[in-house]
């Protein structure tokens, strides 16, 4: 028997990589598909490329072939001379049908439950230091009556008589390759392989019931607005007693009336009179840890920031805290009585800061100002 030119049959070089050989075979197999080209010559050619591929895709057979042997003509190997063991059947199925035609068997009624998300509103103090919350969750739990099977107690799902419990029905097509079997999910039982004739009265065959339950969750310090906390397995139970999904908590941080949070730092604003800013003072300020005294240095300017280190929010999953940043706002006195005005003028003179009085200065008011004062009863 003449030795076939397997490389030439597939149209690849002698040093082609396994991947190149596979690609070449698939391309030709599609071209020469019996459905596309049913004439006998094409079918004969298809047999040739398949034989070539069987040899060249197997490293042992390819080596034997390269050394001058022919696995088919020499009768070597278990699958020699025909489509036996080692035949790349899954590759042919891939080439013809896309996906592999591997058998699946009946599918389980149990499927994983869905995830659920609930919003949790927290005060700044709770997000900063962490807290424990009792949450009420409306969810699906396992049906106690049928323990998830969906069948009425004392009954069992019947084996489907269409697929005999296999969950799939097969169709056999004859071709030159022999019999090709294709499978699809059984239309009668939906692929489950069994049919529930008497569904559980409690859950109507779903295997789960809706209920309201309370869970206690620990919320770690440092979470912020928009943080999601995953509670594995606390979501709803799946159909047919399937494993539960996860529960996600979405944190909503309520605004605080004093502090504004930026990351782990807190910001607040204090008002101090001009004299205190000039002379320096001690201020009592609110922090998350209670009242604290801060030193305002003499000569503090409006807009200056006094930091209180480690008085911010606890860092999430880390040690340490952010800072509290106190923004100082210096208030200029708005109403001066004559004595105060006199003292301020004197101060200005001492500091060499005398300026010509503006048109709104006391004693410089025009007709309209006097009129306004009259209306206001001054
Ligand atoms: Zn039930
Ligand atoms: Zn069936």
């Amino acid at each position: 028997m003449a030795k076939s030119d397997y490389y030439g049959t597939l149209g690849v070089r002698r040093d082609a990589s396994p991947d190149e050989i596979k690609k070449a075979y698939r391309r030709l197999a599609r071209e020469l598909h019996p459905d596309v080209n049913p004439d006998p010559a094409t079918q004969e050619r298809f047999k040739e490329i398949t034989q070539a591929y069987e040899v060249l895709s197997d490293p042992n057979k390819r080596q034997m072939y390269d050394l001058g042997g022919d696995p088919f003509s020499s009768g070597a190997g278990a699958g020699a001379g025909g489509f036996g063991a080692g035949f790349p059947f899954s590759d042919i199925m891939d080439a013809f049908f896309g996906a592999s035609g591997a058998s699946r068997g009946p599918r389980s009624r149990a499927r994983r439950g869905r995830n659920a998300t609930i919003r949790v509103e927290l005060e700044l103090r709770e997000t900063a230091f962490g807290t424990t919350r009792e949450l009420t969750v409306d969810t699906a739990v396992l049906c106690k009556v049928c323990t998830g099977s969906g069948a009425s107690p004392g009954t069992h799902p019947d084996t489907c008589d269409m697929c005999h419990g296999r969950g799939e029905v097969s169709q056999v097509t004859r071709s030159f390759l022999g019999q090709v079997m294709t499978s699809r999910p059984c239309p009668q039982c939906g692929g489950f392989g069994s049919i529930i004739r008497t569904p559980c009265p409690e859950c109507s065959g779903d295997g789960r019931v809706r209920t309201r339950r309370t869970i206690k969750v620990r919320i770690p310090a440092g979470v912020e607005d928009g943080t999601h906390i995953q509670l594995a397995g606390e979501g709803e139970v799946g159909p047919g007693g399937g494993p539960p999904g996860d529960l996600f908590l979405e944190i909503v941080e309520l605004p605080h009336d004093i502090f504004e949070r930026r990351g782990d730092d807190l910001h607040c604003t204090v008002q101090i009179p001009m004299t205190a800013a000039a002379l320096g003072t001690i201020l009592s300020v609110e922090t998350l840890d209670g009242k604290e005294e801060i030193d305002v240095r003499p000569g503090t300017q409006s807009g200056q920031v006094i930091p209180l280190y480690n008085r911010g929010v606890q860092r999430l999953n880390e040690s340490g805290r952010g800072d509290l940043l106190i923004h100082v706002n210096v208030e200029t006195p708005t109403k001066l009585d004559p004595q105060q005005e006199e003292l301020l003028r004197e101060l200005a003179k001492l500091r060499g800061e005398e300026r010509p009085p503006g048109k709104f200065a006391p004693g410089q008011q025009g007709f309209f100002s006097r009129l306004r004062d009259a209306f206001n009863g001054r």
Side-chain angles (χ1 to χ4, degrees), residues 13-262:
R13 294 191 318 274
R14 288 192 73 87
D15 60 351
S17 70
D19 202 44
E20 286 169 337
I21 290 170
K22 193 171 190 169
K23 276 187 186 145
Y25 171 67
R26 287 191 179 194
R27 183 175 46 75
L28 290 169
R30 283 198 188 88
E31 259 173 42
L32 306 169
H33 190 300
D35 285 354
V36 181
N37 283 300
D39 64 290
T42 309
Q43 294 200 8
E44 190 54 40
R45 172 109 171 87
F46 184 84
K47 272 189 191 173
E48 281 169 23
I49 63 155
T50 302
Q51 198 176 52
Y53 181 62
E54 188 188 339
V55 173
L56 297 185
S57 63
D58 180 320
N60 291 330
K61 287 182 186 168
R62 184 177 178 182
Q63 194 185 19
M64 193 193 296
Y65 174 75
D66 287 346
L67 292 171
D70 187 332
F72 283 102
S73 60
S74 69
F83 300 121
F87 184 75
F89 194 71
S90 67
D91 284 341
I92 292 185
M93 295 304 280
D94 283 357
F96 282 1
F97 306 111
S100 163
S103 176
R104 288 166 298 267
R107 63 191 181 101
S108 170
R109 282 180 203 281
R111 272 173 291 141
R112 186 176 182 273
R114 282 184 307 188
N115 296 337
T117 302
I118 51 175
R119 287 157 63 91
V120 184
E121 292 190 344
L122 296 175
E123 303 282 351
L124 177 61
R125 189 174 296 279
E126 296 175 301
T127 57
F129 298 126
T131 185
T132 304
R133 271 291 173 94
E134 287 215 333
L135 300 171
T136 306
V137 190
D138 281 312
T139 189
V141 297
L142 197 69
C143 173
K144 285 199 178 74
V145 176
C146 64
T147 61
S149 76
S152 188
T155 70
H156 294 282
D158 289 343
T159 302
C160 174
D161 55 14
M162 190 169 182
C163 64
H164 306 290
R166 289 176 50 244
E168 55 186 18
V169 285
S170 305
Q171 198 178 6
V172 176
T173 0
R174 293 194 60 83
S175 80
F176 67 96
L177 284 173
Q179 295 184 335
V180 173
M181 199 159 74
T182 53
S183 302
R184 63 194 168 96
C186 170
Q188 181 168 291
C189 60
F192 297 127
S194 62
I195 292 168
I196 297 175
R197 303 256 182 234
T198 41
C200 166
E202 182 71 15
C203 64
S204 312
D206 190 34
R208 52 190 185 156
V209 287
R210 295 211 74 84
T211 188
R212 176 168 288 198
R213 66 195 174 102
T214 308
I215 54 169
K216 207 173 194 177
V217 288
R218 200 188 65 80
I219 292 160
V223 295
E224 61 186 327
D225 203 57
T227 301
H228 282 83
I229 298 174
Q230 183 178 15
L231 301 174
E234 296 285 358
E236 59 177 48
V237 161
D246 299 335
L247 178 65
F248 289 89
L249 306 185
E250 186 189 332
I251 303 298
V252 179
E253 190 177 76
L254 299 168
H256 193 271
D257 35 345
I258 298 175
F259 303 117
E260 187 199 325
R261 179 173 175 180
R262 293 181 213 159

